[in-house]
């Protein structure tokens, strides 16, 4: 028989799947209603942090003997390092195109965000991520000479060749679906944990899986492929990167995040579900409905977070997103 006390103890360290998708919806609404200039510069920060992680992952896989004799093992080492990018992005509140495909989709399904605002948020995040990635790749890694010497230069050239030149458009598109399916799952699991350690562990392993599988993450590729252009990888051009890199990976990531994570978990967990509180806090729109029902919103209740009819919490914290 299960132990109720143990079950309650486990639940105390994390949110339920239903509570988590509710928090994802609230986060998506908050993101989608943020001022565009703040979204852009937050996305620039996200691109920078992702590029630092991508560069570090590429450095640790520079091991010629392992590349020849144990390629899976050395890829695993790189996969253990790469998740630090998402961890830094989520814990600092930076924006990532890949993650917002899930967050804002759930908020749009939940009628907390309009579709035009959702698409605008995707657009701004994408270009902000690109700007940040190019800044780190060119100004810090490129001019900094991080990959100027062998064997690091050789490893970067080989990696970009395998990532961008060798695969077909369709292969990159399908890999993009899988990549953002796992990235958004990492965001979901990171939000499910209540403490810092739980969040980090939840985010780490889905990212580890997508890197080990060699899937395509459009923002990570914003560091890898421009680095290849910087190093003059044979056959690589800007036109190829746009047509056979950004477009298939970006579209695949969009589907993986918006459909396989956002739409799926919304439909499975919260579609037609009753209004709910998380940690006793309701969404602001629910409080507005409650005010219409009871005809007032007492300032004392707001200040002290007292309940107002049917146990609804009227604290102003109701509109505050839980930390990711």
């Amino acid at each position: 028989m299960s132990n109720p006390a143990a079950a309650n103890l486990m639940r105390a360290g994390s949110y339920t799947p239903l509570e988590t998708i509710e928090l994802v919806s609230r986060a998506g609404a908050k993101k989608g209603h943020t001022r565009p200039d703040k979204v852009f510069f937050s996305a620039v920060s996200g691109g920078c942090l992702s590029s630092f992680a991508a560069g570090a992952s590429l450095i640790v896989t520079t091991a010629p003997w392992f590349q020849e004799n144990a390629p899976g093992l050395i890829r695993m080492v790189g996969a253990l390092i790469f998740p630090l990018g998402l961890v830094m992005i989520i814990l600092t509140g930076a924006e990532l195109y890949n993650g917002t495909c899930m967050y804002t989709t759930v908020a749009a399904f939940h009628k907390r965000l309009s579709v035009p605002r959702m698409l605008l948020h995707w657009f701004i995040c994408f270009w902000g991520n690109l700007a940040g990635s190019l800044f780190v790749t060119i100004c810090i890694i490129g001019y900094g000479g991080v990959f100027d010497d062998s064997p690091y230069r050789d490893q970067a050239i080989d990696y970009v060749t395998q990532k961008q030149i060798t695969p077909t458009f369709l292969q990159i598109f399908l890999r993009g679906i899988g990549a953002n399916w796992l990235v958004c799952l990492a965001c979901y699991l990171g939000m499910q944990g209540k403490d810092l350690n739980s969040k980090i562990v939840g985010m780490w392993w889905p990212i580890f899986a997508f890197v080990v599988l060699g899937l395509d993450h459009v923002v990570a590729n914003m560091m890898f492929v421009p680095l290849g252009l910087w190093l003059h990888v044979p056959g690589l051009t800007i036109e190829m990167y746009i047509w056979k890199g950004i477009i298939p990976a970006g579209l695949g990531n969009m589907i993986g995040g918006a459909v396989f994570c956002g739409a799926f978990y919304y439909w499975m967990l919260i579609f037609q579900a009753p209004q709910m509180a998380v940690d006793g806090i309701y969404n602001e729109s629910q409080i507005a409905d409650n005010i219409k029902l009871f005809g007032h919103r007492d300032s004392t209740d707001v200040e002290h977070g007292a309940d107002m009819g049917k146990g609804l919490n009227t604290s102003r914290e109701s509109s505050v997103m839980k930390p990711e």
Side-chain angles (χ1 to χ4, degrees):
M1 294 179 63
S2 61
N3 187 334
N8 289 335
L9 183 62
M10 291 179 64
R11 182 181 175 184
S14 64
Y15 294 104
T16 66
L18 182 59
E19 289 172 327
T20 304
I21 201 65
E22 167 68 21
L23 292 176
V24 167
S25 176
R26 296 182 191 182
K30 181 179 179 181
K31 289 175 181 290
H33 288 103
T34 301
R35 279 172 32 189
D37 59 320
K38 287 193 172 184
V39 173
F40 178 77
F41 286 107
S42 181
V44 170
S45 174
C48 292
L49 297 177
S50 175
S51 292
F52 283 129
S57 176
L58 194 53
I59 287 289
V60 300
T61 59
T62 304
W65 187 91
F66 282 97
Q67 292 289 355
E68 289 290 333
N69 298 278
L73 180 61
I74 198 61
R75 180 182 285 188
M76 182 189 73
V77 174
L80 288 171
I81 300 299
F82 189 81
L84 69 91
L86 184 69
V87 170
M88 292 189 293
I89 288 169
I90 295 296
L91 296 185
T92 61
E95 293 287 359
L96 183 69
Y97 165 79
N98 300 76
T100 198
C101 287
M102 173 187 69
Y103 288 115
T104 55
T105 295
V106 175
F109 274 120
H110 223 170
K111 307 301 182 183
R112 293 171 176 172
L113 183 68
S114 68
V115 172
R117 276 189 172 270
M118 176 189 76
L119 297 176
L120 176 64
H121 196 267
W122 292 5
F123 180 82
I124 297 173
C125 283
F126 180 88
W127 290 106
N129 287 161
L130 180 60
S133 298
L134 291 178
F135 172 77
V136 169
T137 303
I138 296 173
C139 297
I140 296 180
I141 294 177
Y143 282 112
V146 175
F147 289 91
D148 281 359
D149 300 324
S150 294
Y152 303 108
R153 180 187 180 91
D154 298 334
Q155 169 60 16
I157 291 174
D158 290 342
Y159 183 84
V160 174
T161 299
Q162 296 173 13
K163 175 66 67 174
Q164 182 61 70
I165 296 178
T166 304
T168 65
F169 183 102
L170 178 61
Q171 287 175 327
I172 294 175
F173 170 74
L174 295 174
R175 294 176 187 179
I177 293 176
N180 213 32
W181 187 346
L182 290 168
V183 169
C184 288
L185 179 60
C187 294
Y188 176 93
L189 295 178
M191 184 164 277
Q192 190 166 21
K194 290 186 177 182
D195 62 276
L196 185 64
N197 292 333
S198 298
K199 289 178 178 296
I200 292 174
V201 171
M203 288 184 277
W204 209 272
W205 295 112
I207 304 299
F208 170 85
F210 112 68
V211 177
V212 165
L213 290 170
L215 304 179
D216 277 283
H217 183 289
V218 69
V219 179
N221 288 354
M222 290 175 183
M223 180 272 170
F224 292 129
V225 183
L227 176 63
L229 291 167
W230 181 270
L231 297 176
H232 305 292
V233 172
L236 181 62
T237 64
I238 295 176
E239 292 79 6
M240 173 185 285
Y241 173 43
I242 294 173
W243 167 246
K244 213 181 81 171
I246 289 179
I247 292 176
L251 291 175
N253 286 173
M254 184 189 302
I255 293 172
V259 178
F260 285 78
C261 269
F264 177 77
Y265 288 121
Y266 171 81
W267 180 72
M268 288 291 294
L269 299 173
I270 207 170
F271 176 63
Q272 294 183 335
Q275 302 281 1
M276 65 174 298
V278 180
D279 291 335
I281 299 173
Y282 282 80
N283 191 59
E284 186 67 31
S285 62
Q286 295 167 305
I287 296 175
D289 292 340
N290 193 53
I291 293 170
K292 292 178 182 178
L293 179 64
F294 292 96
H296 72 285
R297 178 173 183 167
D298 187 80
S299 60
T300 304
D301 289 341
V302 171
E303 180 180 355
H304 297 288
D307 290 342
M308 182 172 66
K310 295 187 177 182
L312 287 179
N313 188 314
T314 61
S315 167
R316 292 186 65 86
E317 295 178 354
S318 60
S319 62
V320 178
M321 180 186 69
K322 292 299 294 180
E324 296 179 7

